[in-house]
Amino acid sequence: MSLGRDNARWCHPDGTRADGPWDCVVDGSLEGWVHTGLRTATLEPDASVELDLTGVEAVVVPLSGGGVRVVVDGGEPLALAGRAHVFAGPTDVAYVPPGATLRLEGAGEGEVRVAVCLATVPDGAAPPAVPHRLPAADVPVELRGAGIASRQVRNFGVPGVLDAARVIACEVVTPAGNWSSWPPHKHDEDRPGTESELEEIYFFETRSTDARGTDPVGYQRVYGTDGRPIDVLAEVRTGDVVLVPHGWHGPAVAAPDADLYYLNVMAGPGAERAWLICDDPAHAWVRDTWPDQPTDPRLTIPTADPA
């Protein structure tokens, strides 16, 4: 059986979506992509990059290398402390509403890598929040799943945590050998109280746990229904992007010798900002096994550094 027939359309390896100062650009220039976007950049000390947010809101997420200054419409910067790398724990993030001019400035001693999560905000939508910073210490972190389905989820950009109009974003860390986005689930229909219609972006990073430096890889699966087929089976590495326009997605698999990270960006056409999912009935029973299994001991809930 042939798998991955739609990889060419929905999978974008590192570097293939570079544009000008941006290492990666996901936006409406991609056929069939409407509600979400993502940009990543690498900034040298005191270098900057600008983005016009006409019609879109943004969440700025430092990835690695230290701090980022977020300047909105030329005002006083929001200072984000950043982190050494994505596996080091949560980071400060900043929200910026639509209509602003956003400038990102590197504030570290070396290169700083940063992501900008984007969502379309329709004309006439409820007024979004003003620019604001969410410190790393206030990011809720949960341990989801159990056994080999254990993963850590950092919910910095979900409803009830970050004030926004449409965007939903989070980070997931999956230890080497584990599965996440499991059981497979979807959110491609508007069923109030049951399921949300949301596009989703997966931006991946990997880290070798093998002292020999084995090539760190992970894998991502997306599959559809008879009425809305999609067929993705991708090998992923740092900087790769997989887009989920619809369909069941999962598992995201960490190889036995590589930890897996992904940044999720979601938004849709519905007026309600909600993440409501439906499990694939063939695999939903997996959740019932979790109470009888321990959480992977490699995962922890971080605590704030003492003052």
Side-chain angles (χ1 to χ4, degrees), residues 170-263:
C170 66
E171 299 176 315
V172 179
V173 172
T174 307
N178 284 11
W179 288 27
S180 60
S181 289
W182 190 253
H185 57 278
K186 72 179 184 73
H187 37 71
D188 59 11
E189 297 180 73
D190 182 14
R191 298 188 293 154
T194 301
E195 184 177 354
S196 308
E197 182 180 354
L198 301 168
E199 289 178 344
E200 185 163 14
I201 299 170
Y202 278 71
F203 172 81
F204 290 96
E205 298 211 8
T206 56
R207 176 178 68 172
S208 177
T209 60
D210 183 350
R212 292 167 294 188
T214 303
D215 178 26
V217 301
Y219 296 88
Q220 171 75 5
R221 178 73 171 127
V222 185
Y223 59 99
T225 62
D226 290 341
R228 301 183 73 189
I230 184 172
D231 181 4
V232 168
L233 180 58
E235 185 174 276
V236 296
R237 295 173 174 82
T238 293
D240 292 352
V241 170
V242 174
L243 305 181
V244 183
H246 58 82
W248 311 105
H249 40 289
V253 181
D257 56 4
D259 295 328
L260 181 69
Y261 160 97
Y262 51 86
L263 170 63

Side-chain angles (χ1 to χ4, degrees), residues 24-49:
C24 176
V25 176
V26 174
D27 59 16
S29 65
L30 290 163
E31 182 184 358
W33 206 250
V34 179
H35 304 289
T36 59
L38 176 71
R39 292 186 179 231
T40 66
T42 302
L43 302 176
E44 298 294 336
D46 298 319
S48 66
V49 64

